[in-house]
Amino acid sequence: MLSEQTIATIKSTVPVLEIHGTTITKRFYQMMFEAHPKLLNIFNHANQKQGRQQGALANAVYAAAQHIDRLEEILPVVRQIAHKHRSLGIKPGHYPIVGKYLLAAIKDVLGDAATDEIINAWAEAYGVIANVFIDVEAEMYKEAEQQQGGWSDFKSFVVQKKVKESEQIMSFYLVPQDGQLLPTFEPGQYISLKMEIPGEHNTHIRQYSLSDAPGQPHYRISVKREDAIESRPAGKVSVYLHEQVQEGDVLQVSAPAGDFTLDRADHRPVVLISGGVGLTPMVSMLASLVKSDPDRPVTFVHAAVNGDNHALRNEVEMLVAAHTLATVRWCYSSPTEQDRLAQAFHKEGRLDLPWLQSVIPDWNAQYYFCGPEAFMQSVYALLKEWNIPVSDIHYEFFGPASAWEAEAQ
């Protein structure tokens, strides 16, 4: 429990964090990595270079300051972050390091304005928040390890099969090298791959949704190749997976994690909306609904550039055909001439509210969506415009939380 004085002091820093938050977190990462370069084996370098990790941490610190007297209100966000920490291998020993350099960065950026009273209050508050994360993550490690076939940290998997799904997306079928049974997972969850790429000084960890139903003798991920676009460099891990990783190779894999999962207690209709490679968790959810919930209506909506970029189409259509209450709709932003001749899509252009309302038979449903950030911003805005309750809106975004996500919470 924090003292009233500490709570008041933390709350007094909220306006300062709103202005200087990102500057503080940029300085924090700089100082921490200089002192502990091995931590670069955990953090996503691309997110660091693009400033996304710094912005995400600034949002998290700001939210903690705002809710310091009612931390229970941010527990859902804590659990979401804790899932990612567990999949990355974050351990209790990392938290004192983070705390040390976060406080040092606050002092460094704010100078004399960061009085001893403010620094001491933040040290006390950070200790409380860190303990919450440590406790939640300890339980997650325990759950991951104790289930049948489970493990903690990373385990060796063999690439059993590699399948090209579209011009940009490749599926990898992964099986345990030790031949043990695979633990189950919740549709919508992800795994982390820890990659050692020749020529790279650090390891790289990336998270990928499981794109098949639970209960298979393999885990499947479907990875989009991220090529260089203008100032954005190519994705080191995705390009390496596509170009270099072959069947029979061994990869280091975390146990499944994530809280973007189907609400099985709610039997209302389900609406699955995806863009690009964001369809991967949706395919897992659809496959699970076909197997376990044939009486629950499902609407599957997917947006792609065109048929050349549309992965797993045949698989989705087969799943929909096996579920009497499921429908599917395709939206292509730039269909090819062949797409037009084949009448391969239901809508041309971008998703819009009138069209969504026309293809979703019952608005009183649970909505799940995933895709590129701009796509997700658009879908979230459309659902809010439709007055869909926030409690019925669920999404997964890979990468640090953005401003719109903070607002959504």
Side-chain angles (χ1 to χ4, degrees):
M1 295 291 292
L2 296 172
S3 69
E4 290 296 325
Q5 181 59 45
T6 295
I7 289 172
T9 302
I10 294 294
K11 280 190 166 291
S12 74
T13 65
V14 168
V16 177
L17 292 173
E18 189 171 14
I19 298 170
H20 299 289
T22 302
T23 304
I24 290 170
T25 54
K26 284 181 179 178
R27 182 64 178 137
F28 154 72
Y29 281 116
Q30 181 185 17
M31 296 170 76
M32 185 175 69
F33 290 144
E34 285 176 356
H36 297 272
K38 287 186 177 180
L39 290 176
L40 287 166
N41 291 317
I42 296 175
F43 287 85
N44 186 314
H45 299 192
N47 287 336
Q48 286 289 322
K49 290 178 181 178
Q50 295 169 25
R52 296 168 67 192
Q53 195 77 56
Q54 297 89 331
L57 180 57
N59 285 337
V61 172
Y62 180 71
Q66 280 186 309
H67 297 86
I68 197 67
D69 55 341
R70 50 191 193 283
L71 288 175
E72 67 278 0
E73 293 187 15
I74 62 171
L75 272 178
V77 180
V78 169
R79 289 196 62 81
Q80 183 185 58
I81 296 171
H83 271 287
K84 293 190 177 182
H85 283 179
R86 201 272 292 156
S87 79
L88 292 169
I90 300 294
K91 297 297 175 61
H94 291 124
Y95 281 92
I97 297 172
V98 170
K100 174 182 177 179
Y101 291 99
L102 183 59
L103 294 175
I106 291 173
K107 184 67 176 176
D108 188 66
V109 171
L110 300 184
D112 292 341
T115 63
D116 289 345
E117 181 184 15
I118 287 175
I119 294 298
N120 290 337
W122 266 106
E124 184 183 350
Y126 176 81
V128 169
I129 295 168
N131 284 335
V132 171
F133 274 101
I134 290 169
D135 290 345
V136 170
E137 288 160 19
E139 187 61 32
M140 289 180 175
Y141 276 108
K142 183 178 177 182
E143 289 174 1
E145 188 171 17
Q146 290 187 350
Q147 63 177 314
Q148 185 179 20
W151 72 97
S152 62
D153 296 319
F154 289 86
K155 178 174 176 174
S156 296
F157 275 65
V158 177
V159 179
Q160 183 185 59
K161 188 165 58 171
K162 181 179 178 181
V163 178
K164 185 174 182 179
E165 306 287 4
S166 73
E167 289 298 318
Q168 296 177 303
I169 296 174
M170 188 83 70
S171 284
F172 298 83
Y173 291 72
L174 310 174
V175 296
Q177 189 179 35
D178 61 10
Q180 295 294 312
L181 290 175
L182 277 176
T184 189
F185 63 90
E186 287 295 315
Q189 288 191 308
Y190 55 81
I191 57 174
S192 291
L193 300 186
K194 182 164 68 173
M195 307 292 295
E196 294 188 7
I197 300 175
E200 289 289 318
H201 181 69
N202 299 107
T203 58
H204 295 267
I205 301 178
R206 294 293 185 273
Q207 294 161 331
Y208 298 104
S209 292
L210 292 158
S211 61
D212 209 345
Q216 306 293 332
H218 58 257
Y219 286 159
R220 184 181 74 179
I221 58 173
S222 302
V223 180
K224 179 187 176 187
R225 176 186 172 123
E226 299 289 352
D227 292 309
I229 300 177
E230 297 176 350
S231 61
R232 191 191 75 188
K236 290 180 180 179
V237 174
S238 69
V239 170
Y240 183 75
L241 285 168
H242 274 245
E243 292 188 350
Q244 303 299 327
V245 172
Q246 303 299 327
E247 293 176 359
D249 287 351
V250 177
L251 303 178
Q252 297 303 306
V253 177
S254 77
D259 62 350
F260 177 65
T261 57
L262 281 172
D263 183 349
R264 297 181 182 276
D266 189 331
H267 297 290
R268 288 180 297 159
V270 177
V271 179
L272 307 173
I273 306 175
S274 57
V277 75
L279 92 165
T280 52
M282 305 305 173
V283 173
S284 179
M285 290 182 180
L286 176 63
S288 180
L289 287 165
V290 169
K291 282 187 174 182
S292 64
D293 212 342
D295 296 324
R296 193 172 181 185
V298 185
T299 303
F300 192 103
V301 177
H302 180 63
V305 175
N306 52 44
D308 294 338
N309 293 275
H310 188 170
L312 303 172
R313 174 176 178 142
N314 291 340
E315 182 172 331
V316 169
E317 289 182 337
M318 289 175 62
L319 288 168
V320 168
H323 192 297
T324 57
L325 297 178
T327 58
V328 63
R329 294 292 182 269
W330 311 124
C331 177
Y332 287 179
S333 58
S334 300
T336 64
E337 192 58 36
Q338 186 170 346
D339 292 332
R340 297 183 194 282
L341 290 172
Q343 297 183 320
F345 55 95
H346 302 92
K347 175 176 171 55
E348 180 175 352
R350 306 287 182 181
L351 295 180
D352 58 56
L353 186 54
W355 185 74
L356 278 179
Q357 291 173 326
S358 73
V359 300
I360 297 172
D362 187 351
W363 69 271
N364 183 21
Q366 289 278 337
Y367 294 79
Y368 299 82
F369 62 96
C370 185
E373 185 170 3
F375 172 85
M376 294 184 64
Q377 287 175 320
S378 174
V379 171
Y380 183 78
L382 292 175
L383 296 179
K384 292 292 289 182
E385 184 182 348
W386 199 2
N387 294 320
I388 302 301
V390 172
S391 59
D392 290 340
I393 298 175
H394 315 276
Y395 50 88
E396 180 71 281
F397 175 67
F398 286 96
S402 58
W404 76 270
E405 283 190 285
E407 179 184 345
Q409 297 295 345

